[in-house]
Structure formats: C-alpha cells, structure tokens
Amino acid sequence: MCATPGWASVCGPAVFQVEFELSRGGTSRGRTAVIVGAQWGDEGKGKIVDVLTQTFSVVARYAGGHNAGHTVIINGKKFILQLVPGGILRPECTSVVGNGVVIDPLAFLKEVASLRVAGVKVDGNLFVSNRAQVILPYHRMMELGSENAPGRVKIGTTSRGIGPSYEDKMGRRGLRVADLLDTHLLRTHIENACREKNMIAHALFNSDPLDADKMFREYSDAARELVPFVRDTALLLNRALAEGKSIVFEGAQGTMLDIDHGTYPFVTSSSSTSGGAATGTGVPPTSIDTVIGITKAYCTRVGSGPFPSELLGAEGEDLRKRGNEFGAVTGRPRRTGWLDLPLLRYAGMINGISWLVVTKLDVLDHLTEIPVCVGYKVDGKETDEVPAQACGYDKIECIYRNMPGWVSPTQAIRTVEGLPKAAREYMAFIEKETGAQVGMISTGPDREQTILVDEFMHRLGLESPAARD
Ligand code: IMP
C-alpha cells in the first residue's frame, strides 16, 4: 500500500492517487468475486466461472495446477480446462494464471495447443505469472515414489507433481517461471535438482534416475514457447482493478482439500480457500468484494480421506452413475454421499461465503426422499465442530433429515418460480441452515441449464439465460 507520502515517489503518482481514493471508500475500482469450492472439489466451478464471465473482464486462477479439471459444455461442445482459466472461452475476457499456481509448462502448452485447434483465442488474452512455480519431472518422480512407498499414508493424489512442487516452493528451492526463461539459471537449477532428487528417490524408492540434459533441452524449448504469455500478473491485475475492470478469482479443488483447513493430510498442497485468492494473485484482501461458494446438491470426493456422509452401497453407485461422477483429470470414480450441512457451514465460515451456487440439482430429480446430514454426533453428543485430525472423523455419526423429493425433471427449468415446490424448499433449507443465500442453481452441464436468482443477477450484473432466449 502506498499509505504514506514517502511511498508516493516509489509507486508513482498515478497509483498513489488510486490507492488514496480507494482508502476513502471511492468506487473507481472494479468489482471482484472469488469462486470457491465448498466441498472436496469437483463442485462444478468451471461452469459457474463461465456464466460469470458474461460480465467480468478478467478471470484469475490462484492455486493448484493441472490436478484441476474444469469441464465446460457450450452448445454441446465439451472443454476440459486444467490450467487455463475458464475465461478463455470468452474472447473478450482476459485469463490469468496467478503466482499461487504450480505450472507444468508442457501441460500448459499442450492445453493451449488443443484450445487453438478448437478455435479458441489464446493470444493476447492469456497470461501466466512470472512468479508461478514450475513443476518439473522430478516432482512427479518424488510423488509416485512416496505414494507407493510401504508404510506411507497414501493420499490418492492426481500424480501431477503438485505436492512436491509446493514443497520446493516452501523450501525456497523451487524454480519460478521467471527463472525458467533464464537459460543459464535453468541449466544450473536442473543439474543441481536432478542430482539431489535422483539420489533421494533412488535411496528411498529405488526410482530410476532422470536425465538432466534431456530435461534441460525439453524445458528450455518450452520456455521459449511460454515467453509471450509471461507477465507480472500482480501488476496486471491491480492495474485492471484500478481501471475499473472486474475480476473473478477462480478457485481450484475445494475447502476440504485446503492445506490448512481441509481433512489433513488428505488434502492438496495449496490454499484453495478464499484467502488464497489474495496471496495467489497479489491482489490485496481488501479488494475482495464477494465470495461465492459452489456446492453440489449432494456430495462427492475423489482420493482417500474422511467423508462423513459417504454412501458405500447401491445408493452411492446410483448417485455416481446418475451424476456421471468420474474425475475429469484422472477418470477415477468419485465417492458419493448426501449433502453435509455441518461441512457447508464450516466452508461458509472459513471462506466468508455470502452466496451459494447449488449444482447438479437434476441428479436428485428421481428421489422421493432426499436425506441431508444436518448435524454431527460425537460420543453421543451433538457438535458442529469439524475435527482437526483425520481420525477424528471416524467418531462422527451423521444426523440425517429426510427432505421431500420433487420426482420431476428440472433440466429444462430456467426460473426459480418454475422449480417444483419441493426443490424450492430444498434450496430454502440450505439457506436457512448455512446462512448464505442461494444465488444460482445448475440443472445440467450446459451454459444454458442455469437458474439465476434475481438479486444475485442484479448484484453481479448478470443476464439470465431465460432473458437471452
Ligand atoms: P494432489 O492435488 O494431486 O496432490 O492430490 C491431493 C488430493 O486432492 C487427492 O485426494 C486428490 O484426489 C484431490 N484433488 C486434487 N485436485 C482435485 C480436483 O480438482 N478435484 C477433486 N479432487 C482433487
């Protein structure tokens, strides 16, 4: 912050002017909203970001890497985005991969190439932070070794090298995108890191060594291709805000996979909650206006770890089939269960969620009764506290309440009033129990299969799909 006059000479008068105006409650800054997963990821954030980009100018990813997989369907055409933010599907929108992301340059360039083939504009509207961490092949080698090592807790990761890359970041031995573009530094870094990682991986996991020369050639080629995308994205985003442009911060994974607040150690290695939007992009927390939590109408999780409302039998299998619950990135079948309100309240608290978006409502269309976990019992006592230890979840007994089903199709419905009474009651119950307002409901994978609540639409300047028909 250029809070004192002394800083004005460092930051320049124009920036000082904007800061000054904002600190007095000026409204010249653009609007911002964080989209965050309120469960264990896969809540359908990609589609919601896509809907919001109607009126937002910039979409910025703030955490994770190509472990994420956002499926967006537009006019029947399916796009799976892993690193590239959802804004890319609207050419007028700027897409930013923030400093909090770990980027595998080869995966990024592959995704860019496939978007080009599909006719999607990626030049001049897609930028990568020069401070983002780089994933290199030895990160995957370390992860595979560790996941399969006897005696280690198996997290069930996506095997993309995400965790070891964040380990190197925090250990202050990582390589950032700016360093990737520095050929001399890149060679030295790869040689030193390979020597070290090869020794460790051989000693601990008996892994075959990686070839540093080959790696250098591959990644210096990739670096050349990456150059046009690289920017100081914190500067880009703050300038955009100062010019009155609006930004959506696109979360990856979900609250319960957050490194601090999730079901540790069965989590990912980044801050997927809304706090990560500030550290992962360089936009100050004081510039975040709204946090929108995304939840399925039920619950899923992929990988190992606690899941209190999980359905293990035929009912779980039925939800999996009806919801097509298979990982977008790994194809792994997702574990399924009923909506867990204590977890949703926890997600609301950690993220500061004021609006909820409920996705996949249509998957429950056939049910006459819908069980919802409304509370937890531990040792016979009711509690709303979420355990700090993964083993603490073993003691949880879910308290269920059966909500009436609507037993009619919702896929073609475009307005809240058009929803069956029981579906509206299901939404009202979620609102009452979480204290957040439901602003949007998704009843199918397509952009058009979306119901927008008037107040949410007006606050965010959105147009309803029904109005556009
Ligand atoms: P990692 O992020 O690959 O290290 O995996 C850590 C845990 O997070 C595993 O349980 C993964 O299945 C889970 N995970 C990572 N990314 C996603 C995602 O995008 N959706 C759902 N689960 C994820």
Side-chain angles (χ1 to χ4, degrees), residues 40-42 67-69 155-158 162 253 257 267-268 302-303 332:
W40 279 282
D42 306 319
N67 48 350
I155 309 293
T157 68
T158 58
I162 306 291
Q253 290 80 46
L257 289 176
V267 291
T268 191
V302 63
R332 289 182 292 175

Side-chain angles (χ1 to χ4, degrees), residues 238-288:
N238 281 287
R239 277 192 180 145
L241 274 184
E243 285 164 11
K245 293 192 178 129
S246 51
I247 303 180
V248 181
F249 299 97
E250 180 185 287
Q253 290 80 46
T255 303
M256 300 315 292
L257 289 176
D258 182 275
I259 185 74
D260 287 283
H261 303 291
T263 46
Y264 193 89
F266 302 99
V267 291
T268 191
S269 299
S270 62
S271 298
S272 46
T273 45
S274 60
T279 53
T281 61
V283 170
T286 45
S287 296
I288 291 172

Side-chain angles (χ1 to χ4, degrees), residues 281-352:
T281 61
V283 170
T286 45
S287 296
I288 291 172
D289 299 324
T290 314
V291 180
I292 304 168
I294 319 297
T295 174
K296 278 181 185 159
Y298 49 98
C299 213
T300 64
R301 134 159 245 177
V302 63
S304 329
F307 184 173
S309 64
E310 182 168 17
L311 287 164
L312 293 168
E315 272 180 310
E317 186 58 35
D318 189 51
L319 265 187
R320 182 160 36 252
K321 280 201 187 118
R322 287 181 190 269
N324 190 24
E325 297 294 356
F326 297 90
V329 173
T330 58
R332 289 182 292 175
R334 295 181 186 139
R335 298 155 66 192
T336 54
W338 300 123
L339 187 66
D340 184 333
L341 290 171
L343 278 195
L344 214 47
R345 287 193 278 271
Y346 177 72
M349 175 182 82
I350 296 293
N351 294 294

Side-chain angles (χ1 to χ4, degrees), residues 346-358:
Y346 177 72
M349 175 182 82
I350 296 293
N351 294 294
I353 294 171
S354 48
W355 292 100
L356 276 174
V357 172
V358 179

